[in-house]
Amino acid sequence: MSASARPSACPGLLRIVPALDGGICRIKLPGGVLRSAQARAIAEAARHCASGVLELTNRSNLQIRGVLPGQESALIDALLSAGLGPRVAAADDVRNLLLSPAAGLDPQARMDVRPLAAQLLDLLQDTPALHALSPKFALQLDGGEALAMREHPHDLWLAAEDEQHLLLGLAGCPGDAPVTRVEATQAVELVRQLLLLFLELATPEQSRMRQLLTQVPPSELLQRLQARLDFPLQPAPAHWQPAKTVSRPPAGIYPQAQSGLCMVAAGAQLGRLHAEQLMALAELCEQQGDGELRLTPWQGLLLGNVPEAGARELLTALNDLGLLSHADEPLLGLVACTGSAACARGLADSKHHALHLAELLRTSGARPQVHLSACPRSCASARVQPYTLLASTPDHYQLYQRTPEAPGFGRLLAPAMTIDEAGAWFARQYPAGKPDA
């Protein structure tokens, strides 16, 4: 397998892209699941070939930062030997399928979507025509879990209506109005034909579904899709509602569908781990879980199949490792890009500022959900957070609040404020006892 891949600014396992702190290598994990042996391999490779700094992404993947010059091939070989790459090089970019980290375990789930997820990943890898999809083109499969991120916009999404039926949506999130309903057994063929149709209709400039829909209305796209299928597309239910989900990034102990077992979740500080932490996590998930780490779209992790009697001990161990194990921790509500310390586009050191903001929030008791972005690209958060601090100078940010009426980050509340001023503003907005956003 060659380390070369299509031109793109997006990092991949086979395409290490430069940053101010060294190369970035992105590892796409099927269903966000990382086996303990693979975690050890990543930790070892990150220590020997890079800085040892790891990032958990907002699509349940993992990045190695600070790849050293001349170590790219050794890193790639180590990761491929651990079974972390695609079956064929051209498929690396298109393995973009987001699940709940609690898939198959969550007692609220309407369907265990893991078998279907495996089929869809096989489809993306084993269909050469689909390798032409953009590295940003992404799918979401929602089984109705409570521990789910439904605010990420995807190019297409499938959501379980019940154990036998799925709803399809285009260029949005589970919770938006679905466009059609299908039997679960028809889902793979539906996705295959829809993706092939997208590639047939889209111009080179239309790399995302939302761009195609500006020229081809959803009703026309469905009509064309129906002509390619040998089963009928069913009308979408008029009053469908997605399952309820958590309002904040998960941390703590959660019930599991399987008797006597539970799930334990924790966050990584601003999405970052060090290789030594990952090595310790591999040991913990073998000793107290099922040997798997499930990465979350909140830039954290979840251990499933934990015996209830050992859950509290595991949560304490995660806290001792430096992970965010308490639901009240203000850092759980903060998302920050890599910032000017490691990105040439960054106007401010957003990671450093986020740590300072967390200290201010810890003192005041305010617990807002805030995205600190060092430039308008918004790399760190796929969804729009309730509040965004967008850097305008190395020391100043614009403050935005998400509203249904305003596009992008939302409504501009303040054109320039320091982090100290932002901390004071949130303290006024969220006095002790007031619920967070």
Side-chain angles (χ1 to χ4, degrees):
M1 186 177 296
S2 168
S4 64
R6 82 182 76 178
S8 174
C10 293
L13 188 149
L14 306 173
R15 180 179 49 251
I16 297 172
V17 302
L20 294 183
D21 59 342
I24 305 173
C25 177
R26 181 177 296 163
I27 305 164
K28 295 186 176 179
L29 302 173
V33 174
L34 184 62
R35 298 192 300 275
S36 59
Q38 293 175 320
R40 290 192 179 92
I42 291 171
E44 287 289 348
R47 287 197 297 206
H48 289 104
C49 302
S51 65
V53 174
L54 306 165
E55 285 183 331
L56 311 185
T57 78
N58 55 45
R59 297 197 187 275
S60 302
N61 293 316
L62 184 145
Q63 293 183 165
I64 298 174
R65 292 200 72 95
V67 179
L68 301 170
Q71 292 295 315
E72 295 88 352
S73 293
L75 175 65
I76 291 169
D77 288 345
L79 299 176
L80 293 178
S81 296
L84 289 159
R87 285 195 289 269
V88 292
D92 190 31
D93 281 340
V94 300
R95 297 180 299 150
N96 301 322
L97 176 64
L98 182 67
L99 309 182
S100 162
L105 308 180
D106 197 315
Q108 181 182 286
R110 299 167 177 172
M111 178 190 298
D112 181 353
V113 295
R114 291 175 298 176
L116 176 56
Q119 291 178 287
L120 291 174
L121 285 168
D122 286 344
L123 171 74
L124 292 167
Q125 288 200 86
D126 298 338
T127 311
L130 299 184
H131 301 167
L133 289 167
S134 163
K136 294 184 180 296
F137 196 100
L139 291 68
Q140 183 168 13
L141 183 53
D142 174 21
E145 302 87 355
L147 295 182
M149 168 64 76
R150 296 199 179 87
E151 291 189 287
H152 277 194
H154 282 72
D155 292 279
L156 64 91
W157 55 264
L158 291 163
E161 182 183 23
D162 52 39
E163 292 184 358
Q164 284 85 35
H165 300 94
L166 290 157
L167 304 174
L168 170 72
L170 303 172
C173 315
D176 296 337
V179 294
T180 192
R181 177 179 185 264
V182 294
E183 306 287 333
T185 55
Q186 300 165 340
V188 175
E189 181 63 11
L190 171 80
V191 172
R192 185 174 81 89
Q193 292 296 345
L194 179 54
L195 295 181
L196 291 173
L197 179 61
F198 170 83
L199 289 170
E200 179 183 303
L201 297 176
T203 67
E205 294 76 26
Q206 295 169 338
S207 61
R208 307 297 300 275
M209 181 64 76
R210 66 176 183 272
Q211 295 166 333
L212 176 64
L213 294 180
T214 62
Q215 301 297 320
V216 181
S219 57
E220 180 181 341
L221 188 65
L222 286 181
Q223 187 177 11
R224 289 173 178 255
L225 177 61
Q226 181 64 83
R228 304 170 70 110
L229 299 171
D230 59 5
F231 54 84
L233 294 173
Q234 304 169 27
H239 302 294
W240 173 75
Q241 292 292 325
K244 292 182 179 179
T245 186
V246 292
S247 60
R248 283 183 63 83
I253 300 169
Y254 295 85
Q256 190 171 311
Q258 292 77 13
S259 178
L261 301 174
C262 62
M263 303 177 285
V264 178
Q269 283 201 28
L270 300 177
R272 286 199 168 177
L273 294 175
H274 197 273
E276 276 68 28
Q277 289 174 297
L278 185 59
M279 196 71 78
L281 284 166
E283 189 76 15
L284 280 175
C285 76
E286 288 178 344
Q287 292 176 348
Q288 302 190 50
D290 58 5
E292 292 182 344
L293 297 170
R294 294 167 174 239
L295 273 58
T296 80
W298 299 276
Q299 296 180 294
L301 51 89
L302 181 144
L303 284 75
N305 294 310
V306 176
E308 290 175 348
R312 185 59 57 183
E313 178 187 350
L314 175 57
L315 195 64
T316 299
L318 294 175
N319 186 71
D320 292 345
L321 273 179
L323 292 158
L324 310 175
S325 60
H326 300 288
D328 191 51
E329 166 56 50
L331 271 174
L332 276 175
L334 303 185
V335 177
C337 66
T338 191
S340 58
C343 177
R345 294 175 185 257
L347 292 176
D349 190 348
S350 49
K351 290 279 192 201
H352 173 74
H353 287 152
L355 291 172
H356 181 48
L357 179 58
E359 288 297 331
L360 299 172
L361 299 175
R362 201 168 284 119
T363 299
S364 70
R367 295 295 183 268
Q369 296 187 57
V370 188
H371 172 208
L372 288 85
S373 188
C375 85
R377 291 194 304 164
S378 186
C379 295
S381 186
R383 66 179 180 128
V384 177
Q385 301 285 344
Y387 293 99
T388 297
L389 286 167
L390 176 63
S392 54
T393 76
D395 296 308
H396 292 85
Y397 290 80
Q398 298 172 326
L399 174 62
Y400 290 87
Q401 182 177 24
R402 179 177 63 185
T403 65
E405 302 80 21
F409 296 127
R411 180 166 58 101
L412 179 65
L413 299 181
M417 59 170 44
T418 65
I419 291 299
D420 286 320
E421 290 168 341
W425 189 90
F426 286 119
R428 292 192 301 270
Q429 291 295 117
Y430 296 95
K434 181 179 178 181
D436 66 346

